[in-house]
Amino acid sequence: MRILVVEDEKIKRITLADDLAGQGHDVVAAADGAEALERLAEGTFDVVVTDLKMPRIDGLELLKRIKQGPLADLEVIMMTAYGSIPVAVEAVKQGAFDFLTKPFRNEDLFPLLTRIERKRTATAPGDRPAAGIGADARVIGQSQAIGRVRRMVEICAKTDANVLLFGETGVGKDLLAQTIHRASHRAAFPFVKVGCTLFPPQLIESELYGHEKGSFTGAEQQRKGRFDLAEGGTLYLDDVDDIPLEQQSKLLRAIEEKVFERVGGTTLIKADVRIIASTKKNLLEKISRGEFREDLYYRLDVLRINIPPLRDRREDVPALTEHLLQRIARGQPFAVEPPALELLQRHDWPGNVRELLHTLERAFLVGGGQITADLLGAEMETNTASAARTLSGDFQSMIEQTERELLLAALNASGGNKSAAAAALGMKPSTFRDKLAKYGLG
């Protein structure tokens, strides 16, 4: 491809141009946006790689002139420092292909150029550019708050930058991460989730990077880690704040240098993965307490999506209710009475969308698809009592009681047909029978 490199720092301009030429590209260099426009007027290019902050004409103005003129189909990649990431995001909105945050290695640019080549040829379904998420049913609602989330998801899907999802428990961070992956150019490759809170500190390293045979007691064979399994795709680090401090430097290296070593190994393994991380905690506070590395935080928080709690977007409850009930009903008829919908909108939903889902599941099963205000009132009162038991430390008892009630409700709704009840709860029949025996329900 013929590439125009626009960079006011002479050493960076020369080294980047040389490395691109070494990859077989035809490269022309310019010291700022004004010179870049002169070069563009003199010849044809496939890609412009431009710095954001430059004298005379900066990168954003250069992008605007390219996209508003006869060269609108020209692909533009922005280079920017951390402090200018919001401007780089705006550049993506205005048509930039992607952006890289400084400092970066010159070879980090190569995969972006490969993506552009694939986009230009579009020879296979997996190579075609993502269609976006405009019709994706997982981003539900018409509120301004969820509209901002939807726009950020669209931006995240266009770029390969790391993403940090922030929000309370139950707001849908997992589903949002999957939505970004499915709408990105990595959609044909794996989406791999790591629940960082699920693994004790001594196991998280092996879980992320794998281990070699004999590297510790019980390591009887080589095992691939999540970085291996996510190759080419997306690695989702759920509750990233739970990664132990002593493991954060290795994670930082894997993200910055795109290489890692298995536990007990010495061979460097490439890590072509896109990182999406989530947290419900304030990472800046953890940094101030020395519990989280600041440099890792800034590597993860390149693009951020703040997901609002359900109580801050009550106008989305009707659309969410309809969507969730369609999922629960699986083709069976259902109806929500207007007073019931009003009750749903008035509730604060401390457990967010997850709590709404569980409430609707129980109401659907008990009411046989007819969702009434009286039925919901009883279900939401049960949820409140359950929450109180949790706070008092009776967590396991709450889980067992809820599970027992769901089993009974499913049996009642199915007329005692155990296979149908298991299907309604999404369980295997054998699992359903085991749980019935556990609670003495037959």
Side-chain angles (χ1 to χ4, degrees), residues 308-325:
L310 192 52
R311 62 183 174 275
D312 290 346
R313 54 183 188 105
R314 297 174 192 266
E315 60 268 47
D316 291 336
V317 169
L320 275 168
T321 298
E322 177 75 15
H323 170 71
L324 294 174
L325 280 172

Side-chain angles (χ1 to χ4, degrees), residues 269-340:
I269 302 169
K270 289 177 59 179
D272 176 21
V273 299
R274 195 258 187 96
I275 302 293
I276 300 178
S278 72
T279 181
K280 55 183 174 289
K281 298 180 181 178
N282 188 324
L283 293 183
L284 292 176
E285 290 183 358
K286 291 182 72 71
I287 290 170
S288 68
R289 296 195 298 267
E291 298 171 357
F292 202 87
R293 290 182 63 115
E294 185 175 17
D295 46 7
L296 175 58
Y297 168 75
Y298 285 113
R299 277 298 180 188
L300 296 172
D301 192 23
V302 178
L303 293 173
R304 174 190 288 216
I305 301 181
N306 293 314
I307 309 170
L310 192 52
R311 62 183 174 275
D312 290 346
R313 54 183 188 105
R314 297 174 192 266
E315 60 268 47
D316 291 336
V317 169
L320 275 168
T321 298
E322 177 75 15
H323 170 71
L324 294 174
L325 280 172
Q326 287 178 355
R327 213 172 92 185
I328 294 164
R330 300 180 183 180
Q332 300 178 52
F334 65 85
V336 184
E337 294 184 352

Side-chain angles (χ1 to χ4, degrees), residues 415-433:
N417 186 317
K418 294 179 182 179
S419 296
L425 293 176
M427 289 184 186
K428 294 180 180 179
S430 58
T431 303
F432 186 79
R433 288 193 297 271

Side-chain angles (χ1 to χ4, degrees), residues 8-9 27 62 74 97 115 155 239 301 334 387 426 430:
D8 60 327
E9 293 182 19
V27 185
L62 176 60
L74 187 60
F97 181 78
R115 284 170 51 197
I155 291 169
D239 290 319
D301 192 23
F334 65 85
S430 58

Side-chain angles (χ1 to χ4, degrees), residues 75 80 111 167 177-178 180 208 224 280 285 305 314-315 389 392 414 419 421 430:
E75 300 292 359
T80 183
Q178 294 176 48
I180 293 170
L208 286 172
K224 290 185 176 182
K280 55 183 174 289
E285 290 183 358
I305 301 181
R314 297 174 192 266
E315 60 268 47
R389 289 198 300 270
S392 68
S414 66
S419 296
S430 58

